[in-house]
Short mmCIF file of all heavy atoms in Angstrom, two decimals:
data_model
loop_
_atom_site.label_atom_id
_atom_site.label_comp_id
_atom_site.label_asym_id
_atom_site.label_seq_id
_atom_site.Cartn_x
_atom_site.Cartn_y
_atom_site.Cartn_z
N ALA R 227 61.53 -107.40 -24.89
CA ALA R 227 61.33 -105.95 -24.86
C ALA R 227 62.37 -105.21 -25.70
O ALA R 227 62.17 -104.05 -26.05
CB ALA R 227 61.39 -105.46 -23.43
N GLU R 228 63.44 -105.87 -26.04
CA GLU R 228 64.44 -105.24 -26.92
C GLU R 228 63.98 -105.22 -28.36
O GLU R 228 64.57 -104.55 -29.20
CB GLU R 228 65.78 -105.97 -26.82
CG GLU R 228 66.43 -105.86 -25.44
CD GLU R 228 66.78 -104.43 -25.05
OE1 GLU R 228 67.23 -103.66 -25.93
OE2 GLU R 228 66.59 -104.08 -23.89
N GLY R 229 62.89 -105.92 -28.66
CA GLY R 229 62.37 -105.97 -30.03
C GLY R 229 61.23 -104.98 -30.18
O GLY R 229 61.27 -103.89 -29.61
N ASP R 230 60.21 -105.35 -30.92
CA ASP R 230 59.11 -104.43 -31.20
C ASP R 230 57.84 -104.76 -30.42
O ASP R 230 56.76 -104.43 -30.83
CB ASP R 230 58.81 -104.38 -32.69
CG ASP R 230 58.43 -105.76 -33.25
OD1 ASP R 230 58.37 -106.73 -32.48
OD2 ASP R 230 58.16 -105.85 -34.45
N VAL R 231 57.99 -105.39 -29.26
CA VAL R 231 56.83 -105.77 -28.43
C VAL R 231 56.51 -104.64 -27.47
O VAL R 231 57.37 -104.11 -26.80
CB VAL R 231 57.17 -107.06 -27.61
CG1 VAL R 231 56.03 -107.41 -26.68
CG2 VAL R 231 57.44 -108.21 -28.57
N LEU R 232 55.24 -104.25 -27.43
CA LEU R 232 54.78 -103.22 -26.50
C LEU R 232 53.81 -103.86 -25.51
O LEU R 232 52.62 -103.58 -25.51
CB LEU R 232 54.12 -102.07 -27.26
CG LEU R 232 55.03 -101.32 -28.21
CD1 LEU R 232 54.23 -100.23 -28.94
CD2 LEU R 232 56.19 -100.72 -27.48
N ASP R 233 54.33 -104.72 -24.67
CA ASP R 233 53.52 -105.44 -23.70
C ASP R 233 54.16 -105.31 -22.33
O ASP R 233 55.18 -105.94 -22.07
CB ASP R 233 53.40 -106.91 -24.10
CG ASP R 233 52.49 -107.70 -23.17
OD1 ASP R 233 51.73 -107.06 -22.40
OD2 ASP R 233 52.53 -108.92 -23.19
N GLY R 234 53.62 -104.45 -21.48
CA GLY R 234 54.19 -104.27 -20.17
C GLY R 234 53.74 -102.96 -19.57
O GLY R 234 52.74 -102.39 -19.99
N VAL R 235 54.46 -102.50 -18.53
CA VAL R 235 54.14 -101.26 -17.84
C VAL R 235 55.43 -100.49 -17.63
O VAL R 235 56.44 -101.05 -17.28
CB VAL R 235 53.48 -101.54 -16.47
CG1 VAL R 235 53.21 -100.23 -15.72
CG2 VAL R 235 52.22 -102.36 -16.61
N PHE R 236 55.38 -99.18 -17.88
CA PHE R 236 56.50 -98.30 -17.60
C PHE R 236 55.98 -97.21 -16.67
O PHE R 236 55.04 -96.51 -17.01
CB PHE R 236 57.03 -97.68 -18.89
CG PHE R 236 58.14 -96.69 -18.69
CD1 PHE R 236 59.44 -97.14 -18.60
CD2 PHE R 236 57.88 -95.34 -18.58
CE1 PHE R 236 60.48 -96.22 -18.42
CE2 PHE R 236 58.90 -94.45 -18.40
CZ PHE R 236 60.20 -94.88 -18.32
N ASN R 237 56.55 -97.09 -15.47
CA ASN R 237 56.15 -96.05 -14.55
C ASN R 237 57.04 -94.86 -14.72
O ASN R 237 58.26 -94.99 -14.76
CB ASN R 237 56.22 -96.56 -13.10
CG ASN R 237 55.18 -97.63 -12.86
OD1 ASN R 237 54.02 -97.49 -13.26
ND2 ASN R 237 55.56 -98.70 -12.21
N GLY R 238 56.44 -93.65 -14.84
CA GLY R 238 57.18 -92.43 -15.05
C GLY R 238 58.20 -92.18 -13.98
O GLY R 238 58.07 -92.60 -12.84
N ILE R 239 59.26 -91.47 -14.39
CA ILE R 239 60.34 -91.11 -13.47
C ILE R 239 59.94 -89.80 -12.80
O ILE R 239 59.70 -88.81 -13.48
CB ILE R 239 61.66 -90.96 -14.24
CG1 ILE R 239 61.99 -92.25 -14.97
CG2 ILE R 239 62.78 -90.54 -13.31
CD1 ILE R 239 63.10 -92.10 -16.00
N GLY R 240 59.86 -89.79 -11.48
CA GLY R 240 59.47 -88.61 -10.73
C GLY R 240 60.30 -87.39 -11.09
O GLY R 240 61.51 -87.49 -11.20
N GLY R 241 59.65 -86.27 -11.32
CA GLY R 241 60.36 -85.04 -11.66
C GLY R 241 60.68 -84.91 -13.14
O GLY R 241 61.01 -83.84 -13.59
N VAL R 242 60.59 -86.00 -13.89
CA VAL R 242 60.86 -85.93 -15.33
C VAL R 242 59.54 -86.05 -16.08
O VAL R 242 59.16 -85.14 -16.80
CB VAL R 242 61.85 -87.03 -15.78
CG1 VAL R 242 61.99 -87.02 -17.27
CG2 VAL R 242 63.19 -86.83 -15.09
N SER R 243 58.85 -87.17 -15.89
CA SER R 243 57.59 -87.32 -16.59
C SER R 243 56.44 -87.52 -15.60
O SER R 243 55.41 -88.03 -15.99
CB SER R 243 57.67 -88.50 -17.57
OG SER R 243 57.92 -89.69 -16.85
N GLY R 244 56.63 -87.15 -14.36
CA GLY R 244 55.59 -87.30 -13.36
C GLY R 244 55.49 -88.75 -12.88
O GLY R 244 56.44 -89.50 -12.99
N GLN R 245 54.36 -89.11 -12.37
CA GLN R 245 54.17 -90.45 -11.84
C GLN R 245 53.19 -91.23 -12.69
O GLN R 245 52.51 -92.12 -12.19
CB GLN R 245 53.71 -90.37 -10.39
CG GLN R 245 54.76 -89.80 -9.45
CD GLN R 245 56.01 -90.63 -9.42
OE1 GLN R 245 55.97 -91.85 -9.38
NE2 GLN R 245 57.16 -89.98 -9.48
N GLU R 246 53.12 -90.92 -13.99
CA GLU R 246 52.22 -91.64 -14.86
C GLU R 246 52.67 -93.06 -15.06
O GLU R 246 53.85 -93.37 -14.96
CB GLU R 246 52.13 -90.95 -16.24
CG GLU R 246 51.65 -89.55 -16.22
CD GLU R 246 52.79 -88.55 -16.10
OE1 GLU R 246 53.96 -88.96 -16.08
OE2 GLU R 246 52.50 -87.34 -16.06
N SER R 247 51.74 -93.93 -15.39
CA SER R 247 52.05 -95.30 -15.80
C SER R 247 51.60 -95.47 -17.23
O SER R 247 50.54 -94.98 -17.61
CB SER R 247 51.32 -96.32 -14.92
OG SER R 247 51.89 -96.36 -13.65
N TYR R 248 52.44 -96.10 -18.03
CA TYR R 248 52.13 -96.35 -19.44
C TYR R 248 52.00 -97.84 -19.62
O TYR R 248 52.84 -98.60 -19.18
CB TYR R 248 53.25 -95.81 -20.32
CG TYR R 248 53.49 -94.34 -20.13
CD1 TYR R 248 54.43 -93.87 -19.19
CD2 TYR R 248 52.78 -93.41 -20.85
CE1 TYR R 248 54.63 -92.53 -19.01
CE2 TYR R 248 52.99 -92.04 -20.68
CZ TYR R 248 53.93 -91.61 -19.74
OH TYR R 248 54.12 -90.27 -19.56
N ARG R 249 50.95 -98.27 -20.31
CA ARG R 249 50.69 -99.68 -20.54
C ARG R 249 50.36 -99.91 -22.00
O ARG R 249 49.83 -99.03 -22.67
CB ARG R 249 49.51 -100.16 -19.70
CG ARG R 249 49.70 -100.03 -18.22
CD ARG R 249 48.42 -100.38 -17.45
NE ARG R 249 48.62 -100.21 -16.04
CZ ARG R 249 49.10 -101.13 -15.22
NH1 ARG R 249 49.44 -102.30 -15.70
NH2 ARG R 249 49.26 -100.89 -13.95
N GLY R 250 50.62 -101.13 -22.46
CA GLY R 250 50.24 -101.54 -23.81
C GLY R 250 50.68 -100.55 -24.88
O GLY R 250 51.86 -100.20 -24.96
N GLU R 251 49.74 -100.07 -25.69
CA GLU R 251 50.08 -99.19 -26.80
C GLU R 251 50.63 -97.85 -26.34
O GLU R 251 51.38 -97.19 -27.06
CB GLU R 251 48.86 -98.97 -27.68
CG GLU R 251 48.47 -100.21 -28.47
CD GLU R 251 47.30 -99.98 -29.39
OE1 GLU R 251 46.95 -98.81 -29.63
OE2 GLU R 251 46.76 -100.96 -29.89
N GLN R 252 50.31 -97.43 -25.09
CA GLN R 252 50.85 -96.17 -24.57
C GLN R 252 52.38 -96.25 -24.46
O GLN R 252 53.05 -95.22 -24.48
CB GLN R 252 50.29 -95.89 -23.19
CG GLN R 252 48.80 -95.58 -23.16
CD GLN R 252 48.31 -95.47 -21.72
OE1 GLN R 252 48.79 -96.16 -20.83
NE2 GLN R 252 47.35 -94.59 -21.53
N LEU R 253 52.92 -97.45 -24.30
CA LEU R 253 54.36 -97.61 -24.22
C LEU R 253 55.06 -97.07 -25.46
O LEU R 253 56.18 -96.60 -25.39
CB LEU R 253 54.75 -99.08 -24.01
CG LEU R 253 54.48 -99.67 -22.64
CD1 LEU R 253 54.70 -101.16 -22.67
CD2 LEU R 253 55.32 -99.01 -21.59
N GLY R 254 54.37 -97.13 -26.59
CA GLY R 254 54.96 -96.65 -27.83
C GLY R 254 55.39 -95.20 -27.75
O GLY R 254 56.43 -94.81 -28.26
#
Side-chain angles (χ1 to χ4, degrees):
E228 294 297 321
D230 60 0
V231 175
L232 297 178
D233 184 15
V235 177
F236 177 86
N237 293 316
I239 302 167
V242 175
S243 62
Q245 294 299 317
E246 300 92 1
S247 287
Y248 303 91
R249 299 173 183 273
E251 291 183 13
Q252 293 173 326
L253 286 171

